[in-house]
Amino acid sequence: MSFSLGIIGLPNVGKSTLFKALTQQEVDISNYPFCTIDPNVGIVRVPDQRLKILSEIIKPEKTTPTIIEFVDIAGLVKGAHKGEGLGNQFLAHIREVDAIIHVIRSFTDKDIKHVEDSININRDIEIINTELIMKDLETIEKHKKKLEKEIKANNKQAIKENEILQETEKQLNNYEFITLDEKQKQTIKHLNLLTIKPMIYLINSKGEDHELQALKTLPENTIPLDLKLELEYSELTLEEQQELKIKQRLDVLIKTSYKLLNLISFYTIKGGTETRAWTAQQNTLAPQAGGIVHTDFETKFIRAQVINYKELIDAKSWNEAKNKGLIKTQGKSYQVKDGDIIEFKI
Ligand SMILES: Nc1nc2c(ncn2[C@@H]2O[C@H](COP(=O)(O)OP(=O)(O)OP(=O)(O)O)[C@@H](O)[C@H]2O)c(=O)[nH]1
Ligand SMILES: [Mg+2]
């Protein structure tokens, strides 16, 4: 199971261009709105310097980087939650991803149609976010109806859920995304609300931005990137890139996504045969991290042997680390840390 990022935004803003640059998959990026209908799914290796160094120490037969899945979703328009454009179905695709990259067009090109006929970052963000919010409000409303009977029967879980949903509704009605603590989030997780997912804003711009002012008002999780240029770069070989002194910024996007989405990497070494990186969300407990590697590691979890990357590097070898007692036994409540090397015991 890999972590998945959904690429969303208005039609014709560069979503598939980003997807193609990231995954090198042949997808249709023709110049017309709603070019993408069925979502494109692709995987991307996460660049990881630590994995390289770990492999030099462990010398496994095989080294496998962690991957992130990207899903290129059809364009959304005003009224999508009521079925406008390609509508509801696509909001359903967003439900399935773990986090969202929201692409906003800032490049000017009179040949590329903008569904709202002009460039306006803040307006476009609002259109998309409003659709997500409206859809969530609808989901909550429906679910609250379902809870009514159970609340009458004094079902504690239903009462708790209802309270959280009321709070959530208040936030959404104020045009705020949902902010809840971890426990509350878990309670309503089954609803798969859209605005609870972490989101990154990607401004598709040339850098010579005529809307710098607008950019300043955006949240810190905003990345400006020239997607057309990134796609051209991604089609060059590594040698060509070096020759032309080109620095692709897609790696930055992946790394920044990691940070902004509170993702961490942990590693397994499988008795020296395969050193492999994995992606988890911060605060993931050891058994759930095990579940990312193999279902059995979660359901039959007994304990984990853990050492952090830095300690292993200092010890210089696995055996040395073991002799020094640096490999620690951890139980079910251990929160996995970025850079942990873990051996799951079942
Ligand atoms: N000038 C310019 N054109 C771009 C840029 N990014 C994308 N385009 C063009 O815009 C058009 C639409 O790009 P896509 O990536 O297909 O857009 P999309 O968001 O996937 O569109 P839909 O699938 O229809 O929702 C294509 O002709 C791209 O080449 C850019 O940064 N500058
Ligand atoms: Mg597309």
Side-chain angles (χ1 to χ4, degrees), residues 7-19 28-37 40 72-76 86 103 105 107-109 111-113 204-206 225-229 231:
I7 307 172
I8 71 162
L10 289 174
N12 234 9
V13 295
K15 299 182 297 299
S16 298
T17 304
L18 169 66
F19 180 83
D28 197 352
I29 51 168
S30 307
N31 171 21
Y32 58 86
F34 298 119
C35 171
T36 308
I37 296 180
N40 299 306
D72 171 27
I73 298 169
L76 291 168
L86 295 170
V103 180
R105 169 172 169 180
F107 66 85
T108 38
D109 187 332
D111 293 329
I112 313 264
K113 179 164 173 55
N204 186 8
S205 69
K206 279 221 161 13
L225 213 58
D226 183 341
L227 294 177
K228 201 174 177 190
L229 197 67
L231 177 59

Side-chain angles (χ1 to χ4, degrees), residues 98-158:
D98 298 305
I100 293 173
I101 297 186
H102 178 165
V103 180
I104 304 112
R105 169 172 169 180
S106 167
F107 66 85
T108 38
D109 187 332
K110 59 178 180 3
D111 293 329
I112 313 264
K113 179 164 173 55
H114 190 302
V115 285
E116 295 289 324
D117 290 321
S118 62
I119 305 293
N120 185 330
I121 297 178
N122 288 322
R123 175 202 59 206
D124 292 355
I125 288 179
E126 198 173 317
I127 291 175
I128 297 294
N129 287 351
T130 303
E131 289 310 314
L132 303 182
I133 286 172
M134 298 302 280
K135 189 71 198 174
D136 277 352
L137 282 169
E138 190 188 299
T139 309
I140 291 171
E141 173 99 25
K142 266 193 205 151
H143 190 69
K144 274 173 64 188
K145 283 229 167 70
K146 273 195 203 152
L147 289 177
E148 275 171 15
K149 227 167 137 188
E150 293 168 56
I151 292 171
K152 274 196 193 120
N154 212 11
N155 176 323
K156 291 226 165 63
Q157 180 67 19

